[in-house]
């Protein structure tokens, strides 16, 4: 394989992936936030309507797990958004 000395051979492969991530991250964050909010409201209503103690505990556990899951997904997507420029700079300097 012939390439210019000092040029990064993976740059042609990296640029489309980084551009796709940059374009997709904001809509994904919005979608995760919206779906998480709607799902947690649904589980909250289910918790409020539960009459039996075991149904109440089951709904409380489901609501707790959903909140933890959506917060974790949101934080990881936000970390990707904030860390993407540093990862791109690191990849460019590796070549």
């Amino acid at each position: 394989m012939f390439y210019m000395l000092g040029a990064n051979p993976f740059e042609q492969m990296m640029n489309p992936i980084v551009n796709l991530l940059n374009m997709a991250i904001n809509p994904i964050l919005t979608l995760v936030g919206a779906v998480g909010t709607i799902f947690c409201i649904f589980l909250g209503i289910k918790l409020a309507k539960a009459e039996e103690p075991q149904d109440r505990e089951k709904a409380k556990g489901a609501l707790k797990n959903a909140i933890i899951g959506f917060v974790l997904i949101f934080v990881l997507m936000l970390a990707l958004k904030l860390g993407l420029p540093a990862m791109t700079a690191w990849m460019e300097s590796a070549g």
Side-chain angles (χ1 to χ4, degrees), residues 45-90:
I45 291 170
K46 192 173 178 179
L47 176 64
K49 286 185 173 182
E51 293 180 9
E52 298 293 322
Q54 68 233 19
D55 291 339
R56 183 173 290 281
E57 288 301 316
K58 188 176 177 183
K60 191 187 299 185
L63 181 60
K64 182 179 78 169
N65 289 337
I67 290 171
I68 290 170
F70 283 114
V71 166
L72 185 62
I73 291 170
F74 191 77
V75 167
L76 290 174
M77 291 297 295
L78 194 60
L80 176 64
K81 181 178 181 173
L82 295 175
L84 197 58
M87 288 186 283
T88 304
W90 171 68

Side-chain angles (χ1 to χ4, degrees), residues 4-6 12 18-19 21 24 32 38 41 45 55 57-58 68 75 89 95:
M4 292 178 18
L5 195 57
Q12 289 179 345
V18 170
N19 290 338
L21 285 173
V32 166
I38 291 169
I41 289 172
I45 291 170
D55 291 339
E57 288 301 316
K58 188 176 177 183
I68 290 170
V75 167

Side-chain angles (χ1 to χ4, degrees), residues 5 9-10 20 30 35 40 43 46 68 80 89:
L5 195 57
F10 297 109
L20 178 67
T30 304
V35 169
C40 288
L43 289 175
K46 192 173 178 179
I68 290 170
L80 176 64

